[in-house]
Amino acid sequence: MRKLLILLLTVFLVVSNGIQAQTSQEDYQKKMEWWRDAKFGMFVHWGPYCLYGGMYNGFQQKRGGAEWIMNRCKIPVLEYRAKASTFNPTKFDAEKLVKLAQDAGMKYIVFTSKHHDGFAMFKSEASNFNIVDYTPFKRDILKELADACRKNNMKLGFYYSQSQDWCNPGGDTHRRPMNQGWPNPDSTQIDRYTATHDGSWDCMQQSVSFDEYFYKVSLPQIKEILQNYGDVAVIWWDTPGKRITGKHVADIMEVVKKHPNIIMNDRLIRPSNTVGDYKTPEGLVPKISDVEGVDWETCMTIGSSWGYKSYEKNWKSQETLIRNLITIASRGGNFLLNVGPNPEGLVSQEETERLQIMGKWLQTNGEAIYGTQRSSIYPKWGQCIRKDNKKNSILYLCVFDWPKDSKLILEAQYKIKGASLLSDGSKLKTEATKNGIVIQLPAEAPDKIASVVKLELKEKLPPVKLASNSAKSKTFDIVDEK
Ligand code: GLC
């Protein structure tokens, strides 16, 4: 009898663990679903660093994004804080920012709630160095943005620099040599100081321990941004550095666990394979082999800086941006494209125009992007993106190089239900040959940047297994950390 009871109990435990694992796996896939379908989001880097626009003492900062100006140029804490106290972006309109994202075809926004400078773009009880208590502006940007996103059905996430903080005492300060800033006549002494003071350049930065900073500012602010602004869809950590430890991460995860649907990137702690839902290749479209089987998101600027740079000239073309979006989707990733509002709270004309053109392209071709997955087919003439229906799969052939003889060859032997041009729905003839499927195209490409052929298969392709972050998958560099 006793043996039977033990056997029944063992069976019960194994089955319930199995069900638990199954449901938690199902819950996990459900959590990731909207994010995987969304494909395209807006990154917003905005804070008092925009007041400098990448310039200090008449010099353009030598290296890095303009959001790093305080560190690159070794601006003293009290000087930076005084500058931040003048921040008054009266033209900021959260509704307009959300509409810009929506018109671009973006499905989520990730906003810098606190960047490395330590300035909170929200009312914080943990530090008065925030937009409500420290500036004449006095409005809670996160609240206005959260309200506008909720009203317009836009998912909202927050970027939070959990370890670096250059203005709240005790925050981490990653060392950058003075030659990346401006030709300060005291550069040699400053470099000597930062080399022997963990990267800090101002004695105020080390007046308390990192631990004290973490439990007085970082952890309380993480609670504030996750609890005070409604449903937060994504939390975007950055530059974890060496001072954040497993203990700090465990305490952060205790807070995050209260929000079971929140999606996290892989920058809470490095090596990143221990925490996070997706990889974060920065400023590049990763190699196919580097993103096999994992969730990932390329974050990228439209110019050359995350934060507003007053002299920006290096704007990416809309061809580059649209083809990046397509290539990223064909490899199973998301594209988080950045805007950096200026001191008045306005997004530049150059960023606005490019986003509007991307939105126009997506109005015609969005079904080839949203709700799709990697196809594992990589043609020479462009990209191939896959979408599964209940009974069959669809391949979206995004043609960059329109064939001169109007014959598009997909080197595959699928049974075809039909083919059409996405731009106008016109039917296209297909022929199965030993070289693959030949699709007869019109002489002219409907869209010079990328024209899409919708190829409906009779069959459903085998499922692509997705593993979440794991030790075997590549960890991508955090660019400014090099
Ligand atoms: C790097 C930069 C940081 C920026 C981030 C965005 O970590 O240090 O300024 O916010 O990239 O990916």
Side-chain angles (χ1 to χ4, degrees), residues 43 45 65 67-68 72 112 115-116 159 164 166 176 236 238-239 267 280-283 299-300 306-307 478-481:
F43 214 169
H45 276 73
E67 72 288 351
W68 269 75
R72 305 276 183 192
T112 50
H115 206 267
H116 308 328
Y159 167 112
Q164 284 211 84
W166 304 328
R176 298 291 179 271
W236 216 96
D238 198 17
T239 64
R267 296 189 180 188
T280 51
E282 185 176 320
C299 55
M300 192 176 279
W306 301 102
I478 296 177
V479 169
D480 276 314
E481 292 301 83

Side-chain angles (χ1 to χ4, degrees), residues 10 16 33 48 91 131 136 171 181 213 231 252 286 291 297-298 300 322 339 459 473 481:
T10 313
S16 62
E33 201 174 295
K91 291 185 181 166
I131 194 146
Y213 159 75
D231 275 349
I252 289 176
V291 286
E297 171 194 76
T298 279
M300 192 176 279
I322 290 173
V339 295
E459 57 202 286
S473 53
E481 292 301 83

